[in-house]
Amino acid sequence: MNKVIHLIPYNDIGGVERAARTMISASTEGLEFKVETIFPKSVVTNRWKIWNPFYFLVTVVRVIYQKPQLLVVSLWRAYAVGVLVKLLYPQVKLVVFLHLPKDMHTLDLFLS
């Protein structure tokens, strides 16, 4: 079974989230497609909690535990998790999905 995980920061109403959700139906025999989020819905309402490194580290462990063959990351917070997963689980193929032709801020520039 080939496993693909699309990692997004949180499940909201933006274009990235909608695109990721449309791929869930792409799972077929021999291919499992899954959308994972870094932050649960309850955390997103508190802007300070989205800087908590605990959520990033838990997500790294959760992704590695699932042993995906391909990890797709969208948006800069997911890039950070993707880099850590790749360092700790080098056999995963990492796809960085860039959404804009320019960086929005310093962290976006550094991580992408």
Side-chain angles (χ1 to χ4, degrees):
M1 170 76 66
N2 291 314
K3 187 178 290 191
V4 177
I5 295 177
H6 191 158
L7 181 65
I8 57 178
Y10 41 82
N11 200 354
D12 204 1
I13 58 172
V16 169
E17 295 85 354
R18 291 183 70 182
R21 283 193 302 267
T22 62
M23 287 301 296
I24 292 174
S25 62
S27 292
T28 61
E29 187 174 330
L31 175 67
E32 179 185 350
F33 187 90
K34 196 170 184 189
V35 176
E36 289 283 342
T37 60
I38 298 171
F39 306 104
K41 193 83 164 165
S42 61
V43 170
V44 178
T45 57
N46 184 330
R47 300 300 259 173
W48 291 108
K49 285 186 179 179
I50 62 173
W51 292 100
N52 186 337
F54 169 79
Y55 294 103
F56 292 86
L57 296 175
V58 166
T59 304
V60 168
V61 171
R62 192 169 22 126
V63 168
I64 291 173
Y65 179 77
Q66 295 180 66
K67 295 183 171 38
Q69 283 74 39
L70 182 69
L71 176 62
V72 180
V73 292
S74 291
L75 305 174
W76 68 269
R77 288 179 182 94
Y79 301 163
V81 173
V83 168
L84 290 173
V85 168
K86 184 67 176 170
L87 288 171
L88 297 171
Y89 183 62
Q91 57 268 45
V92 71
K93 302 284 191 255
L94 181 64
V95 176
V96 178
F97 196 96
L98 299 174
H99 299 271
L100 293 172
K102 63 179 184 171
D103 302 305
M104 297 307 295
H105 46 72
T106 306
L107 275 172
D108 188 17
L109 171 68
F110 175 74
L111 292 169
S112 58

